[in-house]
Amino acid sequence: MPYPFYHLFAFVISAVIVLWSTPIVKKIGLKSGRVDLPCDRKVHQRPMVRLGGVSIFIGTLVALLLVWGLGGFIDSGGQPLAPKQEYEIWGVTVGGMAFFLIGLADDLFGLSPLTRLLLQTAIASLAWGAGVRIEFLGIPYLGGLVHIGFLSLPVTVLWLVGMTNAINWIDGLDGLAAGVSGIAAVVMLIVSLFMNQPAAALIAAALAGGALGFLRYNFNPAQIFMGDGGSYFMGFTLAGVGVIGLVKTTAVTAVLLPYLILAVPILDMSAVIFERLRHGKSPFAADNRHLHHRLLQAGLSQRLTVLFIYSLTLWVGSLALAFSGFPSGVTYALGATGLLGYTSWKALKRVR
C-alpha cells in the first residue's frame, strides 16, 4: 500500500474515534462532576466538562497503533524505519502520552504551576534522550545552519515545553485550540510528506484527525472542553513532529518551518509573557492579555474571533508551504492572504 494511504487512514480513524467517544467522555464527566466553572477570566456561562482531551488522545493513539500494526511506519523508500528513527517516533508518541497524563492530573486534581513545569521539563528531557532533538538552528543569509552542540538539550526542552504551554494558553474560546492545532497539524502533515518524512507525517495526520473531529463538539457553542490533558498532548505532539519531521532535515528553510507554522500561538505566548513581566507580574499569572481576549474586548463575537485566528493560522501555514518550495505553495499563500483579508475586513467592520 502506498504510504500516503496510511496517512489518510490515520486521519480518518482518529476522527471517527473522537466523534464516537466524545459524547461518552462527556457523560462520564458530568456524572463525576469534572467540570470547568465560570469565572471572570472565562467566557463560558455554565459548567462545562473539561475532559475532551481524553477522546483526542485515545483517537490519535489508536490510529497510530493500527497503522503500526499494518506496517505503515516506513521511510520514504518504503523500507522499515531505522532504529534511530523508531526511537524518535517513540519519543514523540510516549512523550505525548506523558504530557497528556500531566494535563489530565491537573484537570482532575489540580497541580501547581511549578509542579507542572518540573514534570514537563523532565519528560521533555527524556524525549531529547530518545532522539527528539534540535541540533542546529537556521540563520538565513547569516551563515545558514548553526550547530548548537551542548545547547541542544536546553533549546529542545524550551521548544517542547514552551510550545505545549502556548497551545494550552490559547485554549480560551470554544474551538480555538482544537482548530489552530488541527490546521497546524494538517500543514505539518503536508510539509513532512514533501520533506520525505512519512513517519512524522503519520503522527501529524492522526493528530489532525483527532483535533478537527473534536470541533464537532467543541466549536461555539461548545458542548465540552479539551482541558489541559488535550492541550498539553496536542502542544507537545505538534512540537515533537516539528522536530523529527522538519528540523531534522538539513536545510535552512526546513529548520525555520515549525516556528512559522506555529507562529500564532508562539507570538501570543511571547507577547503575554512580555506584558506580564513589564507590569511586574509572574509570567504564569493568568490574565486577559491574550489575543483572543483583546479581540473580544474590541467588540468581536466569539465566533468571529475564532474564525479570524483560524485564518491567521492558515495564512502562516500557507507561507510555510510557499517557503518550503511546495508545488503551488505561492498560490495557496495568495489564497490564504485573500481569506485573511476578508476576515480582517469583517472584524474591522464589527469593531466600528
Side-chain angles (χ1 to χ4, degrees), residues 51-126:
L51 299 177
V54 174
S55 298
I56 299 173
F57 170 72
I58 292 174
T60 304
L61 184 62
V62 170
L64 291 176
L65 289 175
L66 287 175
V67 171
W68 188 281
L70 292 172
F73 276 91
I74 52 179
D75 61 23
S76 57
Q79 300 301 313
L81 296 178
K84 183 175 181 294
Q85 291 175 303
E86 282 196 16
Y87 283 132
E88 293 173 358
I89 294 298
W90 282 110
V92 174
T93 305
V94 177
M97 183 185 305
F99 268 76
F100 165 74
L101 292 175
I102 295 171
L104 182 63
D106 188 41
D107 290 329
L108 295 177
F109 311 112
L111 302 177
S112 69
L114 180 59
T115 300
R116 295 197 303 267
L117 183 60
L118 290 175
L119 290 172
Q120 291 170 2
T121 301
I123 299 303
S125 299
L126 292 174

Side-chain angles (χ1 to χ4, degrees), residues 9-350:
F9 177 79
F11 180 94
V12 172
I13 291 298
S14 180
V16 168
I17 291 175
V18 170
L19 289 169
W20 168 76
S21 64
T22 301
I24 299 174
V25 172
K26 180 183 175 183
K27 285 185 178 180
I28 295 173
L30 288 173
K31 288 183 178 179
S32 62
R34 303 296 182 181
V35 295
D36 192 15
L37 299 175
C39 70
D40 293 339
R41 284 190 57 255
K42 300 173 182 179
V43 297
H44 62 281
Q45 303 299 318
R46 57 190 176 88
M48 296 286 291
V49 175
R50 54 176 300 166
L51 299 177
V54 174
S55 298
I56 299 173
F57 170 72
I58 292 174
T60 304
L61 184 62
V62 170
L64 291 176
L65 289 175
L66 287 175
V67 171
W68 188 281
L70 292 172
F73 276 91
I74 52 179
D75 61 23
S76 57
Q79 300 301 313
L81 296 178
K84 183 175 181 294
Q85 291 175 303
E86 282 196 16
Y87 283 132
E88 293 173 358
I89 294 298
W90 282 110
V92 174
T93 305
V94 177
M97 183 185 305
F99 268 76
F100 165 74
L101 292 175
I102 295 171
L104 182 63
D106 188 41
D107 290 329
L108 295 177
F109 311 112
L111 302 177
S112 69
L114 180 59
T115 300
R116 295 197 303 267
L117 183 60
L118 290 175
L119 290 172
Q120 291 170 2
T121 301
I123 299 303
S125 299
L126 292 174
W128 177 87
V132 185
R133 301 180 180 181
I134 298 174
E135 297 177 325
F136 42 82
L137 297 176
I139 307 178
Y141 315 115
L142 293 176
L145 294 179
V146 176
H147 290 267
I148 57 178
F150 69 92
L151 293 177
S152 172
L153 175 59
V155 169
T156 302
V157 170
L158 179 63
W159 167 249
L160 295 175
V161 173
M163 200 63 245
T164 296
N165 287 283
I167 295 297
N168 178 252
W169 284 11
I170 67 168
D171 187 24
L173 294 181
D174 296 352
L176 183 54
V180 168
S181 298
I183 293 170
V186 170
V187 176
M188 282 195 176
L189 162 63
I190 296 171
V191 176
S192 295
L193 285 174
F194 181 64
M195 295 290 179
N196 294 319
Q197 298 291 335
L202 277 170
I203 302 177
L207 186 68
L212 297 179
F214 186 65
L215 282 178
R216 163 66 179 80
Y217 306 100
N218 186 235
F219 193 72
N220 183 266
Q223 302 175 39
I224 187 173
F225 294 161
M226 70 174 64
D228 288 350
S231 60
Y232 282 11
F233 173 66
M234 292 197 301
F236 176 86
T237 305
L238 285 171
V241 171
V243 172
I244 69 172
L246 304 179
V247 177
K248 289 291 184 181
T249 306
T250 55
V252 176
T253 53
V255 170
L256 297 175
L257 290 178
Y259 314 110
L260 183 57
I261 294 170
L262 297 167
V264 172
I266 291 173
L267 293 177
D268 178 64
M269 181 179 69
S270 301
V272 168
I273 290 177
F274 175 78
E275 282 294 306
R276 289 173 181 172
L277 293 175
R278 191 167 70 90
H279 288 84
K281 296 183 178 181
S282 166
F284 303 107
D287 55 28
N288 295 333
R289 301 178 188 273
H290 291 282
L291 174 61
H292 56 270
H293 289 134
R294 296 179 185 274
L295 292 174
L296 289 175
Q297 292 163 7
L300 272 64
S301 66
Q302 272 204 61
R303 284 196 172 194
L304 184 53
T305 296
V306 170
L307 291 174
F308 174 77
I309 298 177
Y310 282 179
S311 65
L312 194 59
T313 305
L314 186 61
W315 180 65
V316 295
S318 69
L319 293 181
L321 290 178
F323 197 50
S324 70
F326 185 78
S328 302
V330 174
T331 302
Y332 296 133
L334 290 175
T337 302
L339 178 62
L340 178 61
Y342 174 74
T343 54
S344 300
W345 172 75
K346 294 288 288 184
L348 287 172
K349 184 177 177 182
R350 181 62 181 265

